[in-house]
Amino acid sequence: MRLWTKPLMAAALLSAHGTVTQAQQPTPVPESYQHCTVCHGTQLMGNETNSAPRLSHLQDWYLTNQLNSFRRGWRGSHPEDHKGNEMQAAAKNLPEDTLQQTVDFITSTVSPVPHPTLNGDVEKGKALFASCQACHGADGKGNEVLKAPAIAGQNDWYVAKQLTNFLANKRGYSSEDSNGVMMKAASHVLQNESDVINVASYVASLAAPTEVDRIASSAVVAESTQQAGHNISATNTNQTTTSPSKESGEPMNKKALAAAALATTLSAGAVAETKRYPLPNNSTFPIARAVEVSAGTDLVYHSGQVPAAADESAEKGSRKYYGDTYTQAMSVFKKFESSLADIGLGFGDAVKLTVFLVGDPEMDGKMDFGGFMKAYTQHFGTEEQPNLPARSAIQIAGLAGGPGMLIEIEMVLAKPEK
Ligand code: HEC
Ligand code: HEC
């Protein structure tokens, strides 16, 4: 079976967003991971007979938290929590240096979405879920800042069993397990067994997180963290004060907040960040070394633009008709300006430019790169428009517009999905 390979994830990203993602090399399946499937099932889809949950939809930070929680004896220590005891033993057997690798394999696993097994009242469950969504999200896909995992995509029998465990103090048992204790407190809005079944049935009716959701809430977000500061909302900030993150050992900081705020925005499909890598050695040349377009972005390919006539009274093909390279480049950018505005874009959204220059007969047949740059630098790398695209500039023999035409530019732009 070849289900545990990273390229699968890369492919998911590619097809859903048209983003060019370098496929990663498949990593060999770690030995330590293989026995996890004995209880959790092939493809880690969960196995009710063993009371072992589905793991494939869980976020990497939550998996790491839980494995550490079992290893420290915070989870699975209550004397009557037999299944928790079993998993605690399995976690303790895991060699320390394989932990990260195991988590990576779990998150790259793709498995079928579970079928509902409980016959709860979904409408009643939905009403109860109102108190859960502050932490687990309205879509049940979790919230990293609050350390609340994705519960959509989980087997309903396991969701019900864990809720019962929290209510019975079997989980959230250790006072050091601050996240478990928090969830234990939250479980008490459920008054009886039918509340548990109803809310579990409602959770089972929510769409399971996709590969893209998971990537969006971890890797992509982590990278865009710094640019996301302005996305922090008051709600997120308030929620955080109630959420100690002792377990992960990292103090909750602005970066984490920003990441979660962005995760929320990303999963709502609103904003994505475009990352621009500068040229090496502090070069001030006004182009980017590379531009990274993340999930949640639409790419727009704009056709090449050629200049308008500078002097229509002049003879076509003459030097005066289109003007020199600088005049022509300014004309091309002017055309772009109105065409881009028309589709809700601006030069700041450009991620890649290809510039075709014809040799200028008045410059010994060489392209007038300086003339082009003089026009370019009025549109890119200015105070008002600092975003730099990746760019290539090439001298060509001629353009379809005929003699006299010295420049054509095409552009790729990225805009956040609506
Ligand atoms: C002996 C059977 C068994 C084995 C082997 C096993 N698990 Fe588990 N695992 C369980 C059970 C049962 C639970 C649910 C515990 C509970 O009820 O609290 C669980 C829970 C978990 C959880 C918590 C999931 C959640 O949603 O909170 C993680 C993570 C996990 N296992 C990972 C692993 C990994 C990784 C391995 C392999 C190194 C592994 N397990 C091996 C039985 C097993
Ligand atoms: C105050 C925030 C908060 C609220 C409100 C909350 N949860 Fe949780 N929930 C958490 C956290 C944090 C965890 C992870 C606990 C841990 O680390 O062991 C969790 C864990 C869970 C788990 C275990 C998931 C797993 O994979 O083992 C389930 C199921 C769950 N919550 C369901 C619910 C339901 C249903 C509600 C509403 C009745 C709810 N939660 C309300 C924060 C919350």
Side-chain angles (χ1 to χ4, degrees), residues 61 64-65 144 147 243-253 256:
W61 51 265
T64 306
N65 274 356
E144 180 171 3
K147 305 293 171 216
S243 119
S245 76
K246 242 205 248 161
E247 191 169 28
S248 64
E250 296 157 23
M252 199 85 69
N253 56 22

Side-chain angles (χ1 to χ4, degrees), residues 155-226:
N155 291 290
D156 56 2
W157 49 262
Y158 173 79
V159 169
K161 173 142 195 257
Q162 292 307 304
L163 291 171
T164 310
N165 283 354
F166 282 118
L167 285 163
N169 193 32
K170 288 188 198 170
R171 189 168 166 191
Y173 173 65
S174 160
S175 60
E176 287 181 285
D177 179 10
S178 52
N179 297 321
V181 168
M182 179 161 69
M183 178 54 216
K184 183 172 72 176
S187 69
H188 285 284
V189 302
L190 307 170
Q191 307 278 326
N192 47 42
E193 200 190 327
S194 40
D195 280 359
V196 168
I197 302 291
N198 292 344
V199 81
S201 288
Y202 176 69
V203 171
S205 75
L206 298 170
T210 63
E211 294 305 293
V212 172
D213 286 329
R214 271 197 327 203
I215 296 164
S217 71
S218 52
V220 175
V221 173
E223 279 195 10
S224 324
T225 295
Q226 278 172 320

Side-chain angles (χ1 to χ4, degrees), residues 32-40 44 47 50-55 57-58 62-67 70 75-76 81-91 93-94 99 102-103 106 149-150 154 157-158 161-162 165 170-171:
S32 57
Y33 171 89
Q34 288 171 3
H35 85 273
C36 315
T37 58
V38 174
C39 291
H40 289 275
L44 304 178
N47 183 326
N50 302 330
S51 305
R54 185 172 189 249
L55 300 178
H57 63 292
L58 295 169
Y62 177 73
L63 290 162
T64 306
N65 274 356
Q66 293 310 302
L67 289 172
F70 282 118
R75 185 173 167 188
D81 180 11
H82 305 299
K83 290 298 164 184
N85 302 160
E86 277 178 23
M87 180 55 217
Q88 192 188 90
N93 273 335
L94 201 59
L99 215 77
T102 305
V103 167
I106 296 174
Q154 185 54 274
W157 49 262
Y158 173 79
K161 173 142 195 257
Q162 292 307 304
N165 283 354
K170 288 188 198 170
R171 189 168 166 191

Side-chain angles (χ1 to χ4, degrees), residues 7-83:
L8 251 177
M9 289 207 314
L13 207 66
L14 230 165
S15 56
H17 297 280
T19 313
V20 183
T21 307
Q22 190 87 50
Q24 293 162 28
Q25 289 299 313
T27 327
V29 179
E31 228 174 87
S32 57
Y33 171 89
Q34 288 171 3
H35 85 273
C36 315
T37 58
V38 174
C39 291
H40 289 275
T42 48
Q43 299 170 251
L44 304 178
M45 56 206 277
N47 183 326
E48 190 171 4
T49 314
N50 302 330
S51 305
R54 185 172 189 249
L55 300 178
S56 55
H57 63 292
L58 295 169
Q59 301 97 326
D60 51 4
W61 51 265
Y62 177 73
L63 290 162
T64 306
N65 274 356
Q66 293 310 302
L67 289 172
N68 284 327
S69 181
F70 282 118
R71 287 162 70 88
R72 292 171 187 150
W74 294 354
R75 185 173 167 188
S77 283
H78 188 287
E80 280 161 44
D81 180 11
H82 305 299
K83 290 298 164 184

Side-chain angles (χ1 to χ4, degrees), residues 290-312:
V291 181
E292 183 176 312
V293 178
S294 57
T297 306
D298 285 334
L299 286 181
V300 178
Y301 292 82
H302 198 299
S303 284
Q305 292 283 304
V306 292
D311 179 357
E312 280 184 47

